[in-house]
Amino acid sequence: MGTAELIWNGVAALLVLCIYSFLYKDNPFYKFAEHLVVGVSAGYFAMILYYNAFLPKLINPLRAGQYWYIIPGILGLLMWARFSKKWQWLSRPTLGFVIGSGAGLAIPLYLQNYVIRQLSATMLPVGFTSWPLITNVMIIIMVFCALTYFYFSKQHTGAFGVAAKFGIWTLMVGFGAGFGMTVMGRVALLAERVIFLRDYMVQLWGALF
Amino acid sequence: MTFYERMMNLDRRWVYLVIGVVVVVTAIWSFAVPLYVTPEARSVYDFVDGLVPGEVLMIGVDYAPEVMAELHPMSYAITRQCFAKDVKLLLCCLHQNGPGMVEQVVAQVAEEYGKVNGVDYVYLGYKPYPGITILAMGQNFRIPFPEDYYGTPLDSLPMMRNMTNFDNVKAIINISGGSGTEYWINYANGRYNAKLAIGVTGVMTADYYPFLQSGQIFGLIGGMKGAAEYEYLAEKGGYITREKDQLWASKSMPIQTTTHIVIILFIVIGNVGYFMSKRKK
């Protein structure tokens, strides 16, 4: 490992320890590292946005004579009016365009992919002669019962109440799986940082002695 | 204060300390962990393994450094497998903090395999508004990306000569740490019927099993465990080796094992304390 890499990895290791110091209590080292990461991320994003979106999608077309690009350019500039109470209304056309086009693009496809395709995925062959058929039965029952829980126009009593109760248990199993995966994700981030610190300590020891 | 009340009121910093000690001790004194490969991770590996030289795979890499630990191993393993098989790669990044990381992966692995930019792989770069970018790519890659990440017009790149849109790629693998996956499912698969597999963080994995069950995605690499499974398969296939320190996620599996055991113990202790103190009342 070269000297420059050793120094920069040392800075990274120090910042990792500053962030983790928050686990004991809030302190100026944590605050410094937090502000640094927010500032660097914002600055990095601003430059990425300029060179990957602003320049090729607005400046270069205007320079090439495609003057109609000035219309979205002006719409984008009008968004800055949000910062002024007096001139906020100028941003309404831009917001309308963004929200309208976004909703128009998103709603039909979300309906198709999050509702219709999922509904059709519950229309499964059922039976008890093989494990895939049994799991299909379980899927249909659990989906039905989970949806039953969210029907609040009828009291959850009797057979309906039993289905709703089973639906809650189904949801809890799902939340438990989600919680377990979340724990794994967080531990993964911690594990990688600890391995980085371990490897850096070994390299630092090797470089110094 | 009784023992159970003390358990219920334990300062959380003791929990942090115990977990920290367990992680550090396991990092220093590691051990081998047997790995079970899930069908959803295997289906991604088998698909990539079934590609023939010259075919194009698209990888949408939409993550930032904060989830690098879980997703970088997937990116490296898939990229190494593709380059080893002479499969061409088309990469893009739809996360604002990710372009540099994607470049790090593809440039490093391309150098390992002697692959040439523009001939064996093309890195399109970053554009904002993932939904609109994906919709536009479905018509023609040149609409959102007239040039690649390095400023070269796509039409001048040999690899892009016969490439118009998603119909010209064998599949898309989206490796994402945020909402990018939703856009790929909705627009790339939903609108254009592109074949799609995803690699996501552990936090997101449970949310995307319904799409696996419905057939909207053909594979799912879930979190660091999924990455370790993919690395295991790639090592068996000879695409990555332990000697070259190419198994990132697998190094963390012992720590996952011990930490999860400790967390389960704490959950049991907490529940015992709760029920015992409830019974006392």
Side-chain angles (χ1 to χ4, degrees):
Chain A
M1 187 185 264
T3 310
E5 205 179 328
L6 201 66
I7 292 170
W8 282 113
N9 279 351
V11 170
L14 210 61
L15 289 171
V16 168
L17 295 173
C18 287
I19 293 287
Y20 280 140
S21 67
F22 182 77
L23 293 172
Y24 182 68
K25 66 176 176 181
D26 198 1
N27 59 82
F29 296 105
Y30 166 77
K31 280 195 170 69
F32 167 74
E34 185 190 39
H35 283 76
L36 185 66
V37 76
V38 170
V40 168
S41 300
Y44 182 78
F45 172 45
M47 285 298 102
I48 288 286
L49 199 62
Y50 177 79
Y51 284 104
N52 287 273
F54 198 63
L55 207 55
K57 288 294 183 185
L58 181 63
I59 305 292
N60 290 344
L62 285 174
R63 280 184 189 155
Q66 296 169 322
Y67 296 117
W68 54 88
Y69 274 81
I70 198 73
I71 300 169
I74 291 171
L75 281 174
L77 279 172
L78 286 176
M79 275 301 281
W80 289 90
R82 301 288 302 166
F83 290 106
S84 162
K85 274 204 176 106
K86 188 177 172 194
W87 301 106
Q88 248 179 24
W89 60 274
L90 283 172
S91 63
R92 282 186 201 147
T94 310
L95 273 175
F97 184 83
V98 169
I99 293 169
S101 58
L105 286 169
I107 291 174
L109 285 170
Y110 268 84
L111 193 63
Q112 178 193 327
N113 293 297
Y114 279 73
V115 179
I116 311 266
R117 290 285 295 268
Q118 296 299 314
L119 272 176
S120 69
T122 61
M123 295 168 196
L124 299 161
V126 296
F128 296 94
T129 52
S130 68
W131 183 241
L133 291 176
I134 294 171
T135 53
N136 288 349
V137 172
M138 286 165 60
I139 288 171
I140 292 167
I141 292 173
M142 286 179 174
V143 168
F144 181 76
C145 291
L147 289 171
T148 303
Y149 170 72
F150 290 103
Y151 188 76
F152 299 118
S153 301
K154 180 177 169 13
Q155 247 191 339
H156 290 182
T157 54
F160 193 81
V162 170
K165 195 91 182 167
F166 188 65
I168 296 174
W169 281 96
T170 307
L171 291 167
M172 291 300 129
V173 168
F175 293 144
F179 172 73
M181 297 299 289
T182 303
V183 168
M184 182 190 76
R186 302 298 177 223
V187 169
L189 302 179
L190 171 64
E192 191 271 335
R193 285 291 90 189
V194 169
I195 289 173
F196 164 76
L197 289 171
R198 178 200 70 185
D199 292 344
Y200 178 72
M201 293 299 166
V202 167
Q203 279 152 2
L204 185 65
W205 184 268
L208 291 176
F209 301 106
Chain B
M1 206 187 260
T2 66
F3 175 69
Y4 299 115
E5 280 165 356
R6 267 203 217 109
M7 270 200 295
M8 294 296 292
N9 294 314
L10 188 69
D11 189 335
R12 65 181 64 187
R13 289 177 294 185
W14 286 111
V15 176
Y16 298 153
L17 182 64
V18 169
I19 289 183
V21 166
V22 166
V23 170
V24 169
V25 166
T26 314
I28 296 170
W29 286 291
S30 198
F31 52 91
V33 172
L35 206 61
Y36 162 72
V37 179
T38 53
E40 48 268 25
R42 185 180 287 278
S43 61
V44 183
Y45 175 83
D46 287 344
F47 180 87
V48 177
D49 217 33
L51 294 174
V52 299
E55 286 181 331
V56 181
L57 181 74
M58 182 164 192
I59 305 182
V61 186
D62 310 335
Y63 61 88
E66 65 260 20
V67 289
M68 190 177 83
E70 292 186 274
L71 302 180
H72 237 29
M74 293 178 204
S75 303
Y76 271 103
I78 294 171
T79 308
R80 287 192 167 108
Q81 186 185 8
C82 288
F83 280 158
K85 292 178 65 60
D86 293 327
V87 168
K88 294 180 191 289
L89 281 181
L90 181 64
L91 302 107
C92 71
C93 178
L94 302 181
H95 190 293
Q96 63 269 16
N97 287 335
M101 297 183 53
V102 181
E103 209 236 340
Q104 179 193 33
V105 173
V106 76
Q108 182 183 332
V109 179
E111 198 184 320
E112 286 172 19
Y113 288 88
K115 297 299 180 184
V116 177
N117 179 29
V119 177
D120 303 300
Y121 72 93
V122 169
Y123 175 32
L124 296 172
Y126 164 75
K127 283 289 179 284
Y129 292 109
I132 294 171
T133 306
I134 294 168
L135 274 174
M137 283 198 287
Q139 293 182 43
N140 196 322
F141 292 122
R142 290 151 186 79
I143 297 174
F145 297 103
E147 299 160 349
D148 72 352
Y149 181 72
Y150 306 101
T152 311
L154 286 198
D155 286 333
S156 68
L157 297 170
M159 190 180 125
M160 297 302 293
R161 285 212 186 109
N162 297 321
M163 300 268 301
T164 310
N165 52 38
F166 295 142
D167 290 340
N168 303 116
V169 301
K170 279 301 186 190
I172 302 168
I173 298 180
N174 172 235
I175 303 175
S176 169
S179 58
T181 307
E182 279 181 25
Y183 295 111
W184 286 101
I185 290 174
N186 266 333
Y187 300 120
N189 177 259
R191 172 69 180 80
Y192 296 108
N193 278 321
K195 214 167 159 57
L196 179 68
I198 62 174
V200 293
T201 61
V203 175
M204 296 163 61
T205 303
D207 293 338
Y208 288 99
Y209 273 99
F211 297 101
L212 187 68
Q213 191 263 330
S214 68
Q216 287 163 282
I217 57 176
F218 70 87
L220 169 62
I221 309 173
M224 186 172 258
K225 166 103 182 359
E229 292 165 23
Y230 204 95
E231 282 178 349
Y232 170 78
L233 292 168
E235 190 190 16
K236 267 180 72 175
Y239 302 114
I240 58 177
T241 61
R242 205 170 286 271
E243 287 73 34
K244 289 183 187 170
D245 196 27
Q246 291 173 341
L247 276 76
W248 269 35
S250 307
K251 281 196 288 194
S252 302
M253 283 299 107
I255 297 175
Q256 288 276 3
T257 306
T258 52
T259 313
H260 276 70
I261 290 170
V262 167
I263 289 172
I264 289 169
L265 276 170
F266 276 128
I267 291 172
V268 168
I269 290 169
N271 278 278
V272 164
Y274 169 74
F275 284 114
M276 292 305 287
S277 47
K278 210 174 149 185
R279 189 198 280 188
K280 204 168 181 281
K281 283 179 192 158

